[in-house]
Amino acid sequence: KAGVTQTPRYLIKTRGQQVTLSCSPISGHRSVSWYQQTPGQGLQFLFEYFSETQRNKGNFPGRFSGRQFSNSRSEMNVSTLELGDSALYLCASRRDRRGNTIYFGEGSWLTVV
Amino acid sequence: QKEVEQDPGPLSVPEGAIVSLNCTYSNSAFQYFMWYRQYSRKGPELLMYTYSSGNKEDGRFTAQVDKSSKYISLFIRDSQPSDSATYLCAMSENSGGSNYKLTFGKGTLLTVNP
């Protein structure tokens, strides 16, 4: 059974640009959440999607957004990139909204220069 | 005060040692406690999941929760070089549901030397 797949794995962007990251959850999993990991703040919850709707949101500015498609695949977008957005962005899936075990992908490493 | 505090280390031990990793938390609403292991350049993987105060054992790993002290621990017996990784504690207020999110410690970097 394939795990959570994230693309791209590595990318470099310039300040002011925008970026879109993609996530394919484990087959059969319908809930996708996103986390940001930095050395200074650690892992922080961004948002969660279920049935194409954002269900829960962390304390991040509106520049961070996401969406989920009918096949449960998800994308997150960061607009007007800042240097501080450099981080590992992790996608995680769980079976459904009742599930309490989440499985992480390997992440997308974003560097903003 | 951060909700979850974890000593970042680094922690370096010889092979075969017993390792103790700890987290404290301030949010008394946390009810569910997890330990994740993260290898370099990889995503976190779930090691242990506990609910109530007390101990839970899985092979060489033992998770301990003391809700009265808001303190959790992970013990690794007979540590191996393959245990070298960052260990993250995580907590949640509820078990699943619509408002489910994990709050993480910053992680402890562990190196087990052969």
Side-chain angles (χ1 to χ4, degrees), chain A residues 9-10 35 37 39-43 45 48 55-56 88 90 94 97-102 104-106 109, chain B residues 2 34 36 38 41-46 49 88 94-106:
Chain A
R9 289 294 320 278
Y10 305 92
Y35 287 78
Q37 186 174 27
Q41 299 298 320
L43 264 157
F45 174 77
E48 182 181 32
R55 303 293 180 167
N56 197 7
L88 175 64
L90 290 158
R94 59 176 172 141
R97 293 174 73 186
R98 293 190 306 274
N100 55 24
T101 302
I102 67 173
F104 285 92
E106 296 199 336
W109 289 89
Chain B
K2 288 191 71 72
M34 289 137 272
Y36 281 81
Q38 186 174 24
R41 298 277 178 193
K42 300 289 187 181
E45 58 175 322
L46 181 64
Y49 181 99
L88 299 146
N94 41 24
S95 174
S98 59
N99 194 32
Y100 187 63
K101 68 171 185 177
L102 300 183
T103 301
F104 284 84
K106 287 189 179 180

Side-chain angles (χ1 to χ4, degrees), chain B residues 1-44:
Chain B
Q1 181 187 13
K2 288 191 71 72
E3 281 190 297
V4 180
E5 301 276 3
Q6 183 176 9
D7 186 340
L11 184 61
S12 181
V13 302
E15 184 175 353
I18 296 175
V19 176
S20 173
L21 304 165
N22 313 293
C23 288
T24 59
Y25 62 96
S26 58
N27 184 355
S28 57
F30 287 141
Q31 299 291 327
Y32 301 87
F33 306 91
M34 289 137 272
W35 285 95
Y36 281 81
R37 177 174 63 194
Q38 186 174 24
Y39 290 113
S40 180
R41 298 277 178 193
K42 300 289 187 181

Side-chain angles (χ1 to χ4, degrees), chain A:
Chain A
K1 192 173 185 181
V4 178
T5 305
Q6 292 188 245
T7 56
R9 289 294 320 278
Y10 305 92
L11 66 166
I12 299 174
K13 290 286 187 178
T14 305
R15 267 185 306 173
Q17 287 187 315
Q18 74 166 16
V19 66
T20 299
L21 308 177
S22 181
C23 172
S24 293
I26 292 171
S27 178
H29 283 200
R30 299 170 60 197
S31 172
V32 172
S33 53
W34 290 88
Y35 287 78
Q36 181 198 63
Q37 186 174 27
T38 61
Q41 299 298 320
L43 264 157
Q44 294 185 284
F45 174 77
L46 279 157
F47 31 63
E48 182 181 32
Y49 285 85
F50 181 82
S51 291
E52 303 176 62
T53 302
Q54 188 179 94
R55 303 293 180 167
N56 197 7
K57 190 177 188 309
N59 190 24
F60 278 81
R63 300 185 297 107
F64 292 82
S65 63
R67 58 177 177 168
Q68 186 181 32
F69 302 95
S70 57
N71 60 359
S72 295
R73 191 176 69 84
S74 177
E75 289 180 347
M76 70 161 282
N77 183 277
V78 188
S79 63
T80 319
L81 284 166
E82 301 176 359
L83 296 179
D85 297 332
S86 295
L88 175 64
Y89 290 89
L90 290 158
C91 172
S93 74
R94 59 176 172 141
R95 185 187 70 243
D96 52 38
R97 293 174 73 186
R98 293 190 306 274
N100 55 24
T101 302
I102 67 173
Y103 300 88
F104 285 92
E106 296 199 336
S108 293
W109 289 89
L110 170 65
T111 301
V112 182
V113 297

Side-chain angles (χ1 to χ4, degrees), chain B residues 85-97:
Chain B
T86 297
Y87 289 80
L88 299 146
C89 62
M91 309 176 187
S92 66
E93 295 183 10
N94 41 24
S95 174

Side-chain angles (χ1 to χ4, degrees), chain B residues 30-105:
Chain B
F30 287 141
Q31 299 291 327
Y32 301 87
F33 306 91
M34 289 137 272
W35 285 95
Y36 281 81
R37 177 174 63 194
Q38 186 174 24
Y39 290 113
S40 180
R41 298 277 178 193
K42 300 289 187 181
E45 58 175 322
L46 181 64
L47 275 178
M48 301 284 285
Y49 181 99
T50 55
Y51 165 57
S52 58
S53 286
N55 293 352
K56 181 177 181 180
E57 191 172 317
D58 184 359
R60 296 185 294 112
F61 299 91
T62 300
Q64 197 172 74
V65 175
D66 182 348
K67 288 185 178 179
S68 63
S69 302
K70 296 190 178 69
Y71 186 87
I72 69 170
S73 301
L74 178 71
F75 298 95
I76 307 174
R77 291 185 300 280
D78 187 25
S79 56
Q80 303 294 310
S82 58
D83 295 328
S84 298
T86 297
Y87 289 80
L88 299 146
C89 62
M91 309 176 187
S92 66
E93 295 183 10
N94 41 24
S95 174
S98 59
N99 194 32
Y100 187 63
K101 68 171 185 177
L102 300 183
T103 301
F104 284 84

